């Protein structure tokens, strides 16, 4: 609970906040499959640095990356500056492990295929659920190969419709 925006502040004495600060924060990366597996308590900055050290780009990057955690990013369906390039959390999330209110652990990390048509896509229910359906405990994310070059172009357009035309051509 970083509560940098004040949204995670209890409004009554009957509400609880769950802190994942002491939760394990292990990470692993399968470079052949481009899959990174993280505990929910991993700080986003640590995930970004770990992926970078292995030659990959983690698909989420936020201003609060030094304090927010990957599990919370999934639970709130956070966006970030890479949204246009790599897509949403939903399009990069390959698997989840969730602790349900009953205490049962729901492990959806075994099949990390992007296309899995066996039954319901339960992991999608937990994206953006903000902990109301269960607590996310592990995340499997698709990581992307780090670009070898960086090109910058400055363009000027007379109006917004010209920008949209340019976007179609690029």
């Amino acid at each position: 609970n970083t509560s940098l925006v004040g949204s995670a502040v209890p409004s009554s004495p009957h509400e609880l906040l769950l802190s994942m600060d002491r939760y394990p924060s292990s990470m692993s990366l399968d470079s052949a499959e481009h899959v990174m597996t993280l505990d929910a308590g991993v700080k986003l900055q640590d995930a970004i640095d770990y992926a970078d050290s292995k030659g990959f780009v983690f698909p989420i990057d936020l201003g609060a990356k030094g304090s927010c955690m990957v599990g919370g990013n999934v639970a709130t369906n956070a966006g970030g500056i890479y949204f246009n390039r790599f897509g949403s959390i939903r399009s990069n999330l390959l698997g989840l492990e969730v602790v349900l209110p009953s205490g049962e652990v729901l492990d959806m990390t075994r099949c990390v295929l992007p296309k899995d048509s066996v039954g319901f896509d339960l992991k999608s229910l937990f994206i953006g659920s903000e902990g109301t359906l269960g607590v996310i405990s592990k995340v499997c994310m698709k990581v992307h190969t780090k670009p070898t070059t960086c090109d910058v172009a400055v363009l000027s357009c007379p109006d917004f419709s010209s920008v949209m035309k340019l976007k179609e051509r690029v």
Side-chain angles (χ1 to χ4, degrees):
N1 170 30
T2 58
S3 194
L4 293 177
V5 296
S7 63
V9 177
S11 59
S12 79
H14 305 292
E15 293 181 358
L16 297 173
L17 293 179
L18 175 66
S19 173
M20 299 294 276
D21 278 339
R22 295 184 184 175
Y23 195 77
S25 56
S26 66
M27 295 178 274
S28 64
L29 196 147
D30 182 340
S31 58
E33 296 292 329
H34 292 218
V35 175
M36 189 165 166
T37 303
L38 315 99
D39 286 325
V42 171
K43 294 220 182 314
L44 180 57
Q45 182 67 61
D46 295 338
I48 291 169
D49 293 343
Y50 184 78
D52 184 60
S53 73
K54 304 285 185 182
F56 291 92
V57 177
F58 196 74
I60 306 166
D61 194 351
L62 307 169
K65 62 186 165 192
S67 58
C68 66
M69 296 176 195
V70 174
N73 297 148
V74 175
T76 59
N77 196 19
I81 62 172
Y82 288 148
F83 181 83
N84 285 335
R85 184 171 188 178
F86 299 126
S88 65
I89 284 182
R90 189 176 309 276
S91 61
N92 287 284
L93 184 71
L94 299 174
L96 278 179
E97 180 184 87
V98 180
V99 180
L100 300 175
S102 66
E104 180 183 356
V105 177
L106 182 58
D107 187 354
M108 298 171 280
T109 62
R110 289 190 177 94
C111 182
V112 292
L113 296 172
K115 172 71 171 103
D116 182 9
S117 58
V118 178
F120 295 107
D121 183 17
L122 292 178
K123 70 178 175 18
S124 287
L125 290 174
F126 294 95
I127 300 170
S129 68
E130 300 194 11
T132 58
L133 303 175
V135 176
I136 296 169
S137 56
K138 189 173 287 189
V139 175
C140 294
M141 295 286 287
K142 178 177 17 172
V143 290
H144 305 273
T145 305
K146 190 179 353 179
T148 56
T149 62
C150 179
D151 299 323
V152 177
V154 178
L155 304 171
S156 176
C157 298
D159 53 38
F160 187 71
S161 62
S162 300
V163 171
M164 296 308 292
K165 288 177 188 174
L166 180 64
K167 183 179 181 253
E168 291 173 7
R169 295 182 63 190
V170 175

